[in-house]
Amino acid sequence: MTTFSDLGLNEILLRALAREGYEIPTPVQAQSIPALLQGRDLLGVAQTGTGKTAAFALPILHRLLEDRRRPAPHTARALILAPTRELATQIADSFRAYGQFFRPSVGVIVGGVSHRPQIDMLARGLDVLVATPGRLLDHVGSGRLKLAATEALVLDEADHMLDLGFIVPIRQIVAKLPKRRQTLLFSAT
Ligand code: AMP
């Protein structure tokens, strides 16, 4: 049986997983984590409840740990796009739980709330930014977030984002990202 340690994850993450009560990787985790640790791109078909959040969050955190440096102001080292505020918040909570022993900076940008705290957060720079596409694009358009140094992009529930009409903001966001990056796309269909 495969363990999280067999998958090659950093000790600091293994400690957090033990603390969270995760004993064995789910199939989507066992299948995707080794490839993602090598820096490969991934197209994953996985429903909610399969453990897909950890499948992408753990390799991203591992890679941040292997190359620890402060994110520059107005940048995010990893960007996760999600269709809804609720999902974005849950994903950020997962990153914080798995990162509890090294405390990466994790931020959420969603619509329907005031801009000011988001502007201040972006000014400091983030290790991990989880966002809905529309509000994120506002910040990119006004120069408060620069994507040229982003190392990894995750499109979570990509099918749902397309259903909600986010194709145009997603295209505009992707156009600002460096060509050399890791890209992950998860869809339920
Ligand atoms: P997700 O599919 O990412 O929404 O995860 C579904 C739920 O399973 C979440 O509550 C996770 O905390 C939990 N979970 C994910 N991976 C594991 C694991 N390997 N062992 C135990 N629980 C897990």
Side-chain angles (χ1 to χ4, degrees):
M1 193 164 46
T2 310
T3 64
F4 282 108
S5 161
D6 295 335
L7 297 178
L9 289 166
N10 189 295
E11 202 64 44
I12 291 174
L13 298 172
L14 297 178
R15 273 171 56 204
L17 292 172
R19 168 73 70 89
E20 295 297 305
Y22 290 22
E23 287 172 358
I24 54 163
T26 67
V28 65
Q29 291 161 4
Q31 284 165 25
S32 55
I33 289 172
L36 292 173
L37 290 179
Q38 290 172 15
R40 291 175 58 186
D41 290 345
L42 183 85
L43 183 66
V45 178
Q47 327 280 334
T48 298
T50 55
K52 71 177 159 64
T53 312
F56 64 77
L58 292 169
I60 286 174
L61 291 168
H62 177 98
R63 288 165 64 90
L64 292 175
L65 270 165
E66 299 283 288
D67 177 20
R68 281 180 98 154
R69 53 198 154 86
R70 228 174 238 288
H74 302 284
T75 71
R77 295 190 62 190
L79 174 64
I80 295 84
L81 295 179
T84 65
R85 218 185 293 199
E86 294 71 25
L87 183 62
T89 306
Q90 278 173 33
I91 293 169
D93 288 344
S94 296
F95 271 98
R96 292 188 187 106
Y98 309 143
Q100 63 187 278
F101 294 116
F102 74 109
R103 301 177 65 74
S105 52
V106 178
V108 177
I109 296 276
V110 293
V113 295
S114 68
H115 282 73
R116 191 73 242 172
Q118 297 184 347
I119 291 170
D120 295 343
M121 179 178 83
L122 293 173
R124 291 191 291 273
L126 291 157
D127 291 307
V128 178
L129 175 58
V130 191
T132 50
R135 178 63 70 91
L136 188 82
L137 190 60
D138 289 350
H139 289 294
V140 172
S142 60
R144 295 178 204 121
L145 174 64
K146 294 180 178 25
L147 295 174
T150 298
E151 297 155 52
L153 169 70
V154 181
L155 300 166
D156 195 18
E157 296 197 359
D159 48 349
H160 191 187
M161 288 201 282
L162 296 188
D163 291 343
L164 293 174
F166 283 137
I167 185 70
V168 171
I170 290 173
R171 281 221 175 97
Q172 290 175 337
I173 291 164
V174 170
K176 305 267 188 200
L177 289 163
K179 294 258 179 317
R180 246 182 87 84
R181 62 161 195 268
Q182 187 172 32
T183 305
L184 288 66
L185 184 149
F186 286 90
S187 172
T189 54

